[in-house]
Amino acid sequence: MNSIFEAANELKEELVEIRRTIHQCPEVGPILPKTKEFVMNKLKELGYEPEEICESGIVATIEGGKPGKTFLLRADMDALAIKEEAPVPFASKNNSMHACGHDMHTTMLLGAAKLLKEHQDEIAGKIKLVFQPDEEGFTGAKTMLNAGVLENPKVDAGMALHVNSGTPSGMVLCGLGTCMAGCTLFRIQVKGKGCHGAMPENGVDPINIAAHVYLSLQEIIAREIAPTQPAVVTIGKFVGGQAPNIIPEEVILEGTIRTFDRDLSAQIYKRIEEISTQTAALFRGQATVTEIASAPPLHNDEEMTQTIADYIKDVYDPDKVYVFEQGGMGSEDFASYTYEIPCSYLLLGAGIPQENELYGKPMHNDHVVFNEDILPIGSALLVTSALRWLEEHA
């Protein structure tokens, strides 16, 4: 297994080139034609026969020299609709940005694909490499699952790796149990009656209604949820009106619910509906609440995750492997896989300011820069974990 890390380090220059190519041409959402073509071509160059099982969803399977189970390794490929401001020579120029590091994940899995070809005889079963679109929109994982990503061959367990800005480079974070929040994205459409701003009595002001709705939603967390239950309701979009002297017809609010409990999320969503519709009616308007997309809380199989953490400690610096039980409120659509098969979702530190002043910016920030030195580490971690798990479950 140590030889895998050595071989991965020899790939560093190649991996950096791949990552920068992807980084400079980011694509957003479920349709990623350029990224898909690039990944498919790379896999073919390595001797794989990749298959597109849904729009921009790629699967390639490698079978070893020994019989056994099937292990899934997943990377996400989509970017964010953020204009990059990071001071790097390979920055994106198309008003989108890999601000969550999905270009890093795709590169690591392509690196793992190359390493697995070199160790194919050692695979006790099959390894399914999965490249997924639209993680950010929370539709990618569900689309892949509906397309049969866990079948032909049937998958027995799965793993994903995510870079984490603000964590020391190379630190591996292994969360046990429910370690990431579920997320529900919602839209509130408030309708009123437009009129001249000088004569508000002739209309119904949707901005006024939306403002009351916004303030009332804060009381759900403050007064309806126990302080011991982690929960967040955030409105991140509030759009209405086009001129200072016109009361508009409509206002749109969009937001997110985050909890560690699917039933609690459903309860909060119901209260958002009730508060929005009844507040709008109170002020002579109307409101409609719709779900945009959702992902459940991410549940790492505790036994599997602890086992993989032990695998990594055997071949990597054990002081850089941290196992924890309390997660944060970020969300990840790999969570949908965790309710179908045993899964482990690990975080890999991508740098802090003490290492380089460019590192450590928040994820989804237009200035975030990830340490490319961790690319071979990520590839080696994926390969090591898959080979060891298959060997011990053959």
Side-chain angles (χ1 to χ4, degrees):
M1 291 295 175
N2 286 322
S3 66
I4 292 173
F5 279 84
E6 293 171 3
N9 283 329
E10 293 176 3
L11 297 179
K12 180 182 173 183
E13 185 175 336
E14 179 182 349
L15 295 179
V16 169
E17 182 181 352
I18 290 172
R19 185 261 168 153
R20 293 185 178 185
T21 299
I22 297 172
H23 189 89
Q24 288 177 313
C25 300
E27 295 176 298
V28 177
I31 302 175
L32 316 172
K34 293 180 181 178
T35 309
K36 175 185 69 178
E37 181 181 14
F38 180 84
V39 171
M40 295 274 278
N41 288 338
K42 284 293 180 183
L43 290 169
K44 290 175 183 176
E45 289 173 10
L46 294 172
Y48 288 87
E49 297 179 358
E51 176 187 5
E52 185 180 3
I53 67 167
C54 61
E55 175 57 54
S56 299
I58 303 168
V59 175
T61 302
I62 181 169
E63 184 171 1
K66 310 171 189 177
K69 297 181 181 293
T70 300
F71 195 85
L72 179 148
L73 296 174
R74 173 272 205 173
D76 36 19
M77 302 185 293
D78 59 312
L80 289 154
I82 297 174
K83 186 177 188 300
E84 182 162 13
E85 300 293 346
V88 293
F90 53 89
S92 163
K93 300 293 190 296
N94 69 357
N95 293 321
S96 298
M97 179 187 179
H98 275 291
C100 201
H102 295 186
D103 55 333
M104 302 279 285
H105 308 158
T106 299
T107 301
M108 290 173 183
L109 190 52
L110 286 172
K114 185 166 187 175
L115 294 171
L116 287 170
K117 279 292 183 181
E118 298 170 0
H119 294 265
Q120 188 165 358
D121 290 343
E122 301 170 29
I123 302 173
K126 300 179 180 71
I127 296 176
K128 186 176 282 192
L129 310 177
V130 174
F131 297 85
Q132 178 201 299
D134 203 29
E135 187 281 323
E136 297 293 353
F138 296 145
T139 71
K142 292 175 182 176
T143 301
M144 296 288 278
L145 290 167
N146 290 336
V149 71
L150 299 183
E151 305 299 329
N152 302 316
K154 184 179 182 298
V155 174
D156 297 288
M159 176 181 174
L161 195 63
H162 199 298
V163 296
N164 196 51
S165 179
T167 298
S169 296
M171 179 74 73
V172 184
L173 307 180
C174 311
L176 302 181
T178 302
C179 59
M180 295 189 78
C183 175
T184 301
L185 302 176
F186 61 88
R187 177 182 294 114
I188 305 172
Q189 182 181 29
V190 179
K191 289 190 175 182
K193 180 181 178 182
C195 68
H196 197 296
M199 294 165 278
E201 70 278 8
N202 292 330
V204 175
D205 188 351
I207 294 178
N208 178 56
I209 296 171
H212 280 83
V213 169
Y214 174 85
L215 292 173
S216 298
L217 295 186
Q218 311 309 308
E219 304 306 317
I220 298 175
I221 304 301
R223 286 295 175 265
E224 299 184 22
I225 307 299
T228 54
Q229 288 185 290
V232 175
V233 173
T234 293
I235 299 295
K237 180 177 180 179
F238 194 127
V239 179
Q242 297 183 11
N245 63 342
I246 300 173
I247 290 177
E249 292 278 337
E250 180 181 273
V251 170
I252 298 293
L253 294 83
E254 292 182 357
T256 177
I257 304 166
R258 309 272 175 148
T259 78
F260 288 116
D261 184 306
R262 287 190 285 184
D263 291 338
L264 179 59
S265 292
Q267 174 189 332
I268 293 172
Y269 183 83
K270 182 181 179 182
R271 287 295 292 134
I272 290 173
E273 284 186 308
E274 292 172 346
I275 290 170
S276 300
T277 56
Q278 292 178 27
T279 301
L282 180 67
F283 291 101
R284 301 178 295 126
Q286 294 178 312
T288 304
V289 181
T290 54
E291 180 180 310
I292 300 171
S294 65
L298 187 145
H299 182 79
N300 271 344
D301 183 276
E302 293 195 23
E303 181 180 355
M304 177 181 170
T305 303
Q306 183 63 65
T307 298
I308 287 180
D310 292 338
Y311 294 162
I312 296 171
K313 288 179 181 178
D314 287 344
V315 294
Y316 190 58
D317 184 350
D319 291 334
K320 289 188 174 183
V321 181
Y322 179 71
V323 179
F324 65 95
E325 295 185 0
Q326 180 62 48
M329 299 307 288
S331 299
E332 161 65 60
D333 89 336
F334 184 72
S336 293
Y337 291 85
T338 70
Y339 293 86
E340 304 294 330
I341 55 173
C343 287
S344 289
Y345 180 87
L346 309 185
L347 301 176
L348 179 61
I352 57 176
Q354 289 86 341
E355 301 168 17
N356 183 318
E357 62 180 9
L358 296 180
Y359 300 160
K361 300 293 191 301
M363 308 292 284
H364 291 211
N365 183 277
D366 60 3
H367 279 76
V368 68
V369 175
F370 303 104
N371 185 358
E372 294 175 321
D373 290 344
I374 68 171
L375 289 170
I377 297 173
S379 295
L381 291 175
L382 292 170
V383 172
T384 298
S385 301
L387 291 180
R388 283 286 300 274
W389 190 92
L390 287 171
E391 185 68 35
E392 293 195 4
H393 292 82

